[in-house]
Structure formats: structure tokens, C-alpha cells
């Protein structure tokens, strides 16, 4: 579907509710233009596969789309559901990209491009914190733990946005695996989750 031009056409995307990365980008760019939201289309590359060389012109590195909003100095990925404004795949950061500003000359629409660096997020935007309270029985035969794990940013991206879409058994397995990763022989008695859902990505800790 991603290579089929059918899904790059805005009318088809709206009709079929299916879009390629190019199609989804076109829809968002058109919507932001309609509502007067200033943005730049950014075309870049995954730096782990091919680095964007700012001094050597090549279409070979124009592989991935981002949208940049200069008024808030933030990016978003138009094609990746799990990401939200302010958080994009780290592979696209600390890299260069072609920033394209749309312009209009009468009825003719075009764009002006400029190569700029896509700055990485600060280290404080992604972390995992553990808060553990231990109660040890008399005789030191048993230990009860109350564990709170709080993650944010890239550490939360693989679970936080999709957690609400999973069935209850899968949710419990994910939480239990996270516990066993720290305490291999532990038995989980109770669990709960806070701030699950894509709307919290980059904004609230996944607890």
C-alpha cells in the first residue's frame, strides 16, 4: 500500500481511510494550511542507514517525512501513530533535513527549501525512574516490594501509546515481564497503570 500511488492521493485517502506515508503527509500539510498553522515540510533520512550530507546534494537521503512548527520549535512524524508533537524517532534527530516552506504566487503553489540541522531532544526528555519500597519479614524469609516504574519519552514509546488497545491478558503480561526483568523470581500480586494512551506521549510519565 505504501508504494501504491492510490494511497498518496488526498481524495482517495479520505474516501478509503487508508494512506501511504506520502498520502498522510499531504493530508496534514493541507489541513494545517487550511487553518493557517505555520509549518515546514521536512524531508530527511534515518541516520543509522544513511546520513544526510548537508554539503553534497543527493535525492538518495530524502526518504522520510517530518513536520516542523517554528512557532513552538517542535517536530511531529505524520506517518507514525505512536509519536506526537515534540517527539520524533531518534534516528531522524542529530541529523540534517531539507526544510520546505510553502509559498504561493497567485494560483501557483511552490516551495522554498533550506538544509538545516534537526536538533536532538535533551537527555531529560527520556528517562526511566524506579521507586521501590521493601518490607522484609522477621527471619528474612520473605520480602514484599511495592514498585513504581515511571518512564517518559523514548523509554515509554513502545508501550504507552498502544497499551489501551491491548486485551487485559496482554496488558498483565507486559507489566509482569517488566517486573521479572528486575526481579526474576518475583510473584506479582497487584498492578495498575497510569497515563496510558498516545495523547500522553512526551507529556506525562507512563507509570
Amino acid at each position: 500500500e505504501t508504494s501504491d500511488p492510490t494511497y498518496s492521493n488526498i481524495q482517495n485517502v479520505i474516501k478509503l481511510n487508508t494512506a501511504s506515508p506520502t498520502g498522510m503527509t499531504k493530508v496534514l500539510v493541507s489541513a494545517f494550511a487550511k487553518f493557517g498553522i505555520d509549518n515546514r515540510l521536512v524531508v530527511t533520512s534515518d541516520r543509522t542507514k544513511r546520513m544526510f550530507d548537508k554539503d553534497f546534494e543527493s535525492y538518495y537521503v530524502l526518504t522520510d517525512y517530518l513536520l516542523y512548527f517554528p512557532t513552538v520549535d517542535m517536530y511531529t512524524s505524520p506517518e507514525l501513530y505512536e509519536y506526537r508533537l515534540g517527539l520524533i524517532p531518534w534516528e531522524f534527530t542529530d541529523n540534517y533535513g531539507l526544510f520546505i516552506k510553502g509559498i504561493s504566487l497567485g494560483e501557483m503553489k511552490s516551495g522554498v527549501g533550506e538544509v538545516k540541522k534537526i536538533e536532538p531532544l535533551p537527555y531529560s526528555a527520556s528517562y526511566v525512574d524506579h521507586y521501590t519500597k521493601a518490607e522484609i519479614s522477621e527471619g528474612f524469609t520473605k520480602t514484599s516490594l511495592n514498585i513504581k516504574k515511571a518512564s517518559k519519552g523514548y523509554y515509554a514509546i513502545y508501550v504507552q501509546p498502544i497499551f489501551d488497545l491491548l486485551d487485559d491478558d496482554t496488558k498483565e503480561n507486559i507489566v509482569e515481564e517488566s517486573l521479572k526483568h528486575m526481579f526474576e523470581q518475583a510473584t506479582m500480586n497487584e498492578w495498575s497503570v497510569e497515563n496510558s494512551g498516545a495523547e500522553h506521549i512526551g507529556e506525562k510519565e507512563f507509570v
Side-chain angles (χ1 to χ4, degrees), residues 5-89:
T6 301
Y7 303 106
S8 296
N9 180 280
I10 293 180
Q11 287 73 26
N12 289 334
V13 169
I14 295 172
K15 180 181 178 181
L16 301 172
N17 290 324
T18 304
S20 66
T22 301
M24 194 68 246
T25 302
K26 285 182 177 180
V27 168
L28 291 179
V29 168
S30 298
F32 292 136
K34 175 71 173 178
F35 292 103
I37 300 174
D38 189 22
N39 69 92
R40 307 286 185 273
L41 174 64
V42 182
V43 193
T44 187
S45 62
D46 179 340
R47 61 180 168 87
T48 66
K49 297 178 180 177
R50 54 178 73 96
M51 201 74 175
F52 192 115
D53 188 341
K54 66 182 178 65
D55 299 316
F56 182 80
E57 185 175 334
S58 171
Y59 293 106
Y60 187 62
V61 295
L62 304 179
T63 57
D64 298 278
Y65 297 111
L66 298 172
L67 293 175
Y68 174 67
F69 301 88
T71 54
V72 292
D73 190 26
M74 290 183 179
Y75 299 84
T76 192
S77 174
E79 63 179 281
L80 298 175
Y81 162 82
E82 63 270 28
Y83 288 87
R84 290 297 187 268
L85 180 64
L87 188 71
I88 59 174

Side-chain angles (χ1 to χ4, degrees), residues 10-200:
I10 293 180
Q11 287 73 26
N12 289 334
V13 169
I14 295 172
K15 180 181 178 181
L16 301 172
N17 290 324
T18 304
S20 66
T22 301
M24 194 68 246
T25 302
K26 285 182 177 180
V27 168
L28 291 179
V29 168
S30 298
F32 292 136
K34 175 71 173 178
F35 292 103
I37 300 174
D38 189 22
N39 69 92
R40 307 286 185 273
L41 174 64
V42 182
V43 193
T44 187
S45 62
D46 179 340
R47 61 180 168 87
T48 66
K49 297 178 180 177
R50 54 178 73 96
M51 201 74 175
F52 192 115
D53 188 341
K54 66 182 178 65
D55 299 316
F56 182 80
E57 185 175 334
S58 171
Y59 293 106
Y60 187 62
V61 295
L62 304 179
T63 57
D64 298 278
Y65 297 111
L66 298 172
L67 293 175
Y68 174 67
F69 301 88
T71 54
V72 292
D73 190 26
M74 290 183 179
Y75 299 84
T76 192
S77 174
E79 63 179 281
L80 298 175
Y81 162 82
E82 63 270 28
Y83 288 87
R84 290 297 187 268
L85 180 64
L87 188 71
I88 59 174
W90 61 267
E91 300 96 323
F92 301 155
T93 67
D94 202 19
N95 195 16
Y96 286 87
L98 179 63
F99 288 64
I100 304 172
K101 180 180 180 180
I103 59 172
S104 297
L105 299 172
E107 294 184 357
M108 185 181 72
K109 294 183 178 180
S110 185
V112 176
E114 179 184 7
V115 174
K116 298 169 61 177
K117 188 172 184 180
I118 303 170
E119 296 292 344
L121 290 173
Y123 73 91
S124 57
S126 298
Y127 57 83
V128 180
D129 288 336
H130 294 88
Y131 306 88
T132 304
K133 179 181 179 181
E135 294 183 1
I136 303 174
S137 65
E138 292 185 17
F140 301 94
T141 58
K142 181 180 179 182
T143 303
S144 297
L145 300 174
N146 186 319
I147 301 172
K148 175 183 175 181
K149 179 181 178 182
S151 58
K152 192 176 180 182
Y154 294 122
Y155 288 103
I157 195 68
Y158 301 106
V159 179
Q160 187 175 18
I162 65 168
F163 194 82
D164 290 341
L165 305 176
L166 305 174
D167 60 64
D168 290 342
D169 288 341
T170 303
K171 290 178 180 178
E172 184 171 350
N173 287 338
I174 288 175
V175 176
E176 189 169 22
E177 284 299 318
S178 180
L179 171 66
K180 299 261 185 186
H181 181 70
M182 296 182 290
F183 304 100
E184 199 171 312
Q185 298 180 347
T187 300
M188 184 172 69
N189 295 322
E190 297 179 23
W191 65 274
S192 64
V193 168
E194 297 177 12
N195 303 326
S196 57
E199 67 272 18
H200 299 306

